[in-house]
Amino acid sequence: MEITLERKTHRDGRPVYQQIADQIREAVAARRLEVGTRLPPIRELAKRLGVNRDTVAVAYEALARSGLVKSTVGRGTFVTDPPLPALPPPPFEPALSSLTERLLVLERSRPRFGSAVDAVPMHALIPDPSLYPADAFRKSLNRALLAGGPELFLYGGPQGHPRMREVLAKRLCSSGVQISPDELVLCHGASQGIGLALRLFAEPGDVIAVEEPTYNNVLAAASGLGLQTVPVPMRDDGPDLVALERALKRPEVKLLYTIPTFHNPLGTTTSVSHRRALLAVATRCGKPVIEDAYEADLGFEGTPVPPLAAFDDAGIVVHLSSFSKSLFPGVRVGAVAAHGRLVDALTALKQATDLSDAMPLQAALAEFIECGEYDRHLGRMRRLLRGRRDALLEALDEHLPEGSRWTRPDGGYQVWVELPPGIDTSELLPDAVAAGVLFAPGAQFHHDGRPSNALRLTFAQADEAALRHGVEILGEVIRRRGAGAPRRIDRVHI
Amino acid sequence: MEITLERKTHRDGRPVYQQIADQIREAVAARRLEVGTRLPPIRELAKRLGVNRDTVAVAYEALARSGLVKSTVGRGTFVTDPPLPALPPPPFEPALSSLTERLLVLERSRPRFGSAVDAVPMHALIPDPSLYPADAFRKSLNRALLAGGPELFLYGGPQGHPRMREVLAKRLCSSGVQISPDELVLCHGASQGIGLALRLFAEPGDVIAVEEPTYNNVLAAASGLGLQTVPVPMRDDGPDLVALERALKRPEVKLLYTIPTFHNPLGTTTSVSHRRALLAVATRCGKPVIEDAYEADLGFEGTPVPPLAAFDDAGIVVHLSSFSKSLFPGVRVGAVAAHGRLVDALTALKQATDLSDAMPLQAALAEFIECGEYDRHLGRMRRLLRGRRDALLEALDEHLPEGSRWTRPDGGYQVWVELPPGIDTSELLPDAVAAGVLFAPGAQFHHDGRPSNALRLTFAQADEAALRHGVEILGEVIRRRGAGAPRRIDRVHI
């Protein structure tokens, strides 16, 4: 059958997914598509029509909801047999925006780990609650509440609590970033910061450059904002600069999102010289850079490399900080640091988004940092994480098959493992879950979700013994897939 | 001079504001526009070019920044005399998205009250901190932290704390809204809820129907999301249903945003019959309704009218609740209630926006409600607000000139006052500030910011004596403008 799209945007017409669904529906009604016919795979039809795969996926889902087709994982989508009788008109259901429909599809593509309670948790990048200094923080919170009085329960203004901004500006300055408290906009975790920073420069229809692989939630955030992504491949020392320049030169590409320190998912840190070179490329192309420094406080080996923002003479870097990984996510304090007009614009965006954050938590965090508890906590975390990293790398060396490679992080929680070619880690995951180990398959860090032979392992929640046990299981699961005997000799680091 | 726009969107080209700025710049360079020439007023040029006024405003600002023109309030925008010498190329400044540029313009148009510390604060809709049960809340917070342990500092999932959702669902059910805890998505104040609910149905380029006048921050939120607004005039008993049907029938209009109870800025509450009729219109048009019930707990007179969602058989109402006005804003707990697929979609949007809220505050609020403190606080607030309302209405009756009209709220914090025709309350504001009283001019509640002879007075922060004093000053300020002697006899309620 032939499918014709009138236009690729839906202003004044039907959304593209609906055009596709309608034409298939008509073809079924006119018996041009027989019962039992297999519809083309989503990827293939998307390519043929020159549309996003999500669009086709949404069209197939709409058909499935009205009972016209049925999808079976691994087999495909078929015209139902027997076709269901025409249903009475459904009760009125409000139409979701197509951005939201797309986000739903993306959301459903996340791997679910719900049932695997006893498995070794090497999938999540969330610190273990048993490490949280909850009691010390509660004391700081009480001190802040008593000192701040009822006024602390007011709106605090879109930039956030002044004391917390002072404390953070001081820390950023000592890491080399010249920033004043007035140039910070505090926000609801770095995740909200990502959204604000993206919206600063890009709007629906625009494109953003992302590293590949990259933090999966930035892909979801971009999708929810109607932004396309162009991938810049990661090399040993950060994003490929030739590909970066090619991407940033395109007028529709508005910015680069980068994670130079303890990259997610790679765990790697780019060198000072590469940071300077990257900024030179961005400056030449006239495009800003969003630096996500979400794990910057968690370096446990060597001298910390200064943030990208420390080398930013032109004021083109927007710097994101977070306490979700270094302390705990529940404090929901992140920050965006920028210069000049960008600060006004960020403030306006934050104001239009949710007016203000919760001042009690920001005041408590300021107190917690000032009284030294945060640095004491960081000291404990760094020692612990270094031990875990060593245990994990040793276990990988012992249990992974020949031809595997992995990174060696100097901080943070994650190691990126490339298995021998030919293994699709998304397909491996169900076996691993059944055998008792959880990991994040590489595909979810690809801008287009394409298959990957890589995976991310974290040492955020599993202790050293659990990490060794988990990697042993993982090695076995891979071997059962026939990927050879464990390698014993070479360490190959990416 | 002539200005030509290539196209009205900027895909693959320069933004429209830049096209305008560039052509003026060229005209100045080529001496087609002489030094001292007055540029056309923003409104006029916008009309001539068929573009938004913000677009022209942004263009003029860009010219002013590069020193080519100068704007003087009340006089206009002139080509500078003498023209500044061509500056060296400015250091590279990242280009903001045009949505963000527009938001900045909107932000700058807000009235500023900064210097008026001693004036009677009748402008703000923020409860007075001296009324906050801060100490009782701190106790609830401590109980919640001790009971929840360190796990309370984890991400809590995008829907929010289970106990808080149970407590809120129970309260909504007793107000007539059939909702289960699983149908609630908690969020960062109702302000974040507005953004999530708008994005559910509308995306950049779409239009939303709003009441006129309406909550000014919803206009900012819509603007930041790239949504246009179509106004539906408010009548005595809610939005005009004929205008509403005309608006909702347009395919590009995706939803209605309405505040049926203690309307902001009007203070009015629509009747049950009007609620039913409004839902019938929305259902007929196949469009969802966002109900903002931000002050629903603050009724102080008569039987509460059930929320719109209580009459929603079709599942087309998305209901927003908040504790920012009834308790204090610093708790940052709002909620979106919806049905079916809408809940999945809201959850995905919340996840893509900021992953999770701060569980400690949600758990504390659940505790605070369950132990009865919230209802005790509401009891105190209702008595106090009723007294303040009476004092305010009496003072209006005494001090406002003949031909003024105002509303009589049964709850909440705000009264809408219409002054005799011909008075522009935005122009009145500086005199009022100088004389010692603050109010919110009506223009800021208009979707297009056009002048208004109305204003919003709140009794959130001023006590009875201050309210009487403030209205007396206001009456004098109006009289000085020559709007007649104070009226003594008729009460006219809108």
Side-chain angles (χ1 to χ4, degrees), chain A residues 9-11 61 65 91-101 103-104 107-108 110 125-130 132 134-135 137-138 141-142 145-146 149-155 188-189 191-193 195 198-206 215 217 220-221 224-225 252 254 282-283 285-288 314-316 324-325 328-332 341-342 344-346 348-361 461, chain B residues 10-12 61 65 91-101 103-104 107-108 110 125-130 132 134-135 137-138 141-142 145-146 149-155 188-189 191-193 195 198-206 215 217 220-221 224-225 254 282-283 285-288 314-316 324-325 328-332 341-342 344-361 461:
Chain A
T9 63
H10 77 284
R11 297 288 135 72
E61 268 208 15
R65 271 201 307 279
F92 157 56
E93 189 182 59
L96 299 179
S97 75
S98 58
L99 284 180
T100 300
E101 289 282 9
L103 202 57
L104 275 173
E107 203 48 48
R108 272 190 288 265
R110 284 178 194 259
L125 219 168
I126 303 168
D128 181 351
S130 73
Y132 297 173
D135 214 52
F137 190 81
R138 189 173 55 78
L141 181 54
N142 274 293
L145 288 172
L146 292 170
E151 280 77 13
L152 208 53
F153 288 98
L154 275 167
Y155 291 110
H188 207 226
S191 51
Q192 186 181 51
L198 293 178
R199 289 169 65 193
L200 204 50
F201 307 114
E203 60 193 32
D206 286 340
Y215 176 39
N217 283 332
L225 294 170
E252 70 274 23
K254 301 300 181 189
T283 305
C285 299
K287 298 291 165 66
I316 63 168
S324 296
K325 309 301 176 191
F328 38 64
V331 68
R332 302 319 284 134
R341 288 187 79 217
L342 302 186
D344 299 338
L346 281 165
L349 278 167
K350 174 69 180 163
Q351 162 97 13
T353 301
D354 55 9
L355 302 179
S356 162
D357 280 343
M359 290 307 106
L361 292 175
Q461 296 188 357
Chain B
H10 74 284
R11 295 293 132 73
D12 314 310
E61 269 207 15
R65 270 201 308 279
F92 156 56
E93 190 183 59
L96 299 180
S97 75
S98 58
L99 284 179
T100 300
E101 289 283 9
L103 202 57
L104 274 173
E107 203 49 45
R108 273 191 287 265
R110 284 176 194 259
L125 218 168
I126 302 170
D128 182 351
S130 73
Y132 297 173
D135 214 52
F137 190 80
R138 190 174 54 78
L141 181 54
N142 274 291
L145 288 173
L146 291 171
E151 280 76 14
L152 209 54
F153 288 99
L154 275 167
Y155 292 111
H188 207 226
S191 51
Q192 186 180 50
L198 293 178
R199 290 168 65 195
L200 203 50
F201 306 114
E203 60 193 32
D206 286 340
Y215 176 40
N217 282 331
L225 294 170
K254 300 302 182 189
T283 306
C285 300
K287 298 290 165 65
I316 63 168
S324 295
K325 309 303 174 190
F328 39 63
V331 68
R332 302 319 285 136
R341 289 186 78 217
L342 302 186
D344 299 338
L346 282 165
T347 307
L349 280 166
K350 173 69 179 163
Q351 162 96 13
T353 302
D354 57 7
L355 302 180
S356 161
D357 280 343
M359 291 305 106
L361 292 175
Q461 296 187 356

Side-chain angles (χ1 to χ4, degrees), chain B residues 192-380:
Chain B
Q192 186 180 50
I194 289 174
L196 297 173
L198 293 178
R199 290 168 65 195
L200 203 50
F201 306 114
E203 60 193 32
D206 286 340
V207 184
I208 63 167
V210 295
E211 294 162 337
E212 177 135 293
T214 193
Y215 176 40
N216 46 338
N217 282 331
V218 90
L219 299 172
S223 172
L225 294 170
L227 307 176
Q228 309 284 323
T229 46
V230 54
V232 178
M234 284 297 282
R235 305 295 174 206
D236 288 2
D237 191 18
D240 184 297
L241 294 180
V242 174
L244 177 64
E245 182 142 15
R246 203 163 44 226
L248 290 187
K249 268 190 177 155
R250 289 165 51 189
E252 69 276 21
V253 177
K254 300 302 182 189
L255 60 89
L256 167 69
Y257 168 85
T258 179
I259 314 171
T261 298
F262 317 140
H263 186 274
N264 185 8
L266 298 182
T268 51
T269 296
T270 58
S271 66
V272 168
S273 62
H274 193 276
R275 287 173 195 230
R276 288 192 195 277
L278 182 149
L279 282 180
V281 169
T283 306
R284 214 154 46 229
C285 300
K287 298 290 165 65
V289 177
I290 299 176
E291 174 184 34
D292 192 341
Y294 74 117
E295 273 181 353
D297 280 347
L298 286 174
F300 49 67
E301 191 165 81
T303 316
V305 180
L308 201 58
F311 307 100
D312 172 30
D313 302 322
I316 63 168
V317 174
V318 174
H319 177 93
L320 303 177
S321 352
S322 170
F323 292 87
S324 295
K325 309 303 174 190
S326 57
L327 181 56
F328 39 63
V331 68
R332 302 319 285 136
V333 178
V336 195
H339 294 288
R341 289 186 78 217
L342 302 186
V343 182
D344 299 338
L346 282 165
T347 307
L349 280 166
K350 173 69 179 163
Q351 162 96 13
T353 302
D354 57 7
L355 302 180
S356 161
D357 280 343
M359 291 305 106
L361 292 175
Q362 294 186 356
L365 182 55
E367 213 281 340
F368 187 80
I369 295 173
E370 280 189 294
C371 73
E373 283 291 350
Y374 180 60
D375 281 319
R376 274 192 288 281
H377 173 67
L378 287 181
R380 286 190 299 270

Side-chain angles (χ1 to χ4, degrees), chain A residues 188-240:
Chain A
H188 207 226
S191 51
Q192 186 181 51
I194 290 174
L196 297 174
L198 293 178
R199 289 169 65 193
L200 204 50
F201 307 114
E203 60 193 32
D206 286 340
V207 184
I208 63 168
V210 295
E211 294 161 337
E212 175 133 293
T214 192
Y215 176 39
N216 47 337
N217 283 332
V218 89
L219 299 172
S223 172
L225 294 170
L227 307 175
Q228 309 285 322
T229 47
V230 55
V232 178
M234 284 296 282
R235 305 295 174 207
D236 287 5
D237 191 19
D240 184 295

